[in-house]
Amino acid sequence: MLADVSLFLANEYRVSVIARNEVRMAELIKRANHSTAITPALVNYQAEELFRDKIKNLIEMNGPFDIVVAWIHSGADNTIPIIAEENNLFEHPWRLFHILGSSTNLKEVIDRVRVPDSSLYRQIHLGFIIEHNRSRWLTHQEISAGVIKAIFQDQSVHTIGTVEPWDMRP
């Protein structure tokens, strides 16, 4: 769902992409202007020790992360702390863009997420679109465009679409 964000960042950075699906990863690399700009890591982030090893390998290959875009689903509460712990070993300033669903209480997440002082923590709140008095979920393209905009604007909270009125949620 964040393929366009990965491709956008690959124009400026060496990008490490973590995914579970080998076919989708291969498709992403084919779409890149320079296939060497993307370093793939196939791993399920819920397998914590394997995930930690992959993060260490990515940092060894490409250096510490400058920007992390993380869309972590429930049940993997240690994923962001693992990234933060491994990346913080270098005491290098970096930005973490944490993508969160429309029903997420952003203040509760801030209290739960543990990131080091060297990280600028940013939240991207995914909402929905209201058109012609009806609502729909965001498309992959709208999500990617919104994440790219959030990276440029670099605000503590960025909402893509709208999250209100709640009763209009699809």
Side-chain angles (χ1 to χ4, degrees):
M1 293 182 79
L2 296 174
D4 290 345
V5 175
S6 298
L7 294 170
F8 170 79
L9 290 172
N11 288 325
E12 298 293 324
Y13 299 93
R14 293 201 60 181
V15 177
S16 300
V17 177
I18 297 170
R20 294 176 288 196
N21 187 301
E22 190 173 349
V23 172
R24 288 186 190 158
M25 181 69 79
E27 290 170 1
L28 175 68
I29 292 170
K30 283 182 191 174
R31 289 179 55 200
N33 289 337
H34 306 286
S35 61
T36 58
I38 295 177
T39 304
L42 295 171
V43 64
N44 183 336
Y45 53 76
Q46 291 178 329
E48 291 182 10
E49 287 309 310
L50 185 57
F51 180 77
R52 182 181 298 278
D53 290 342
K54 291 286 185 177
I55 294 296
K56 287 179 182 179
N57 290 341
L58 291 170
I59 292 171
E60 285 173 13
M61 286 190 290
N62 297 329
F65 306 131
D66 293 320
I67 295 174
V68 173
V69 178
W71 191 347
I72 313 293
H73 298 283
S74 61
D77 292 338
N78 291 327
T79 303
I80 289 177
I82 289 170
I83 295 168
E85 287 167 18
E86 296 304 324
N87 204 45
N88 197 46
L89 294 175
F90 300 91
E91 298 179 8
H92 174 78
W94 56 289
R95 295 184 292 160
L96 168 60
F97 292 89
H98 191 185
I99 301 172
L100 301 158
S102 61
S103 63
T104 304
N105 181 322
L106 302 182
K107 290 179 182 170
E108 284 180 9
V109 173
I110 287 174
D111 292 340
R112 280 195 333 258
V113 173
R114 298 169 304 200
V115 293
D117 292 339
S118 64
S119 171
L120 296 174
Y121 178 72
R122 308 293 188 230
Q123 292 180 321
I124 300 175
H125 200 192
L126 300 179
F128 52 92
I129 302 292
I130 300 174
E131 296 175 323
H132 311 295
N133 222 16
R134 297 182 64 150
S135 62
R136 64 173 176 79
W137 294 118
L138 298 162
T139 65
H140 293 203
Q141 291 77 21
E142 289 167 336
I143 292 169
S144 286
V147 170
I148 292 167
K149 184 176 180 181
I151 291 169
F152 275 115
Q153 291 181 344
D154 197 28
Q155 299 170 337
S156 59
V157 176
H158 182 89
T159 302
I160 303 172
T162 187
V163 292
E164 295 178 355
W166 186 252
D167 60 346
M168 287 289 295
R169 190 171 163 251

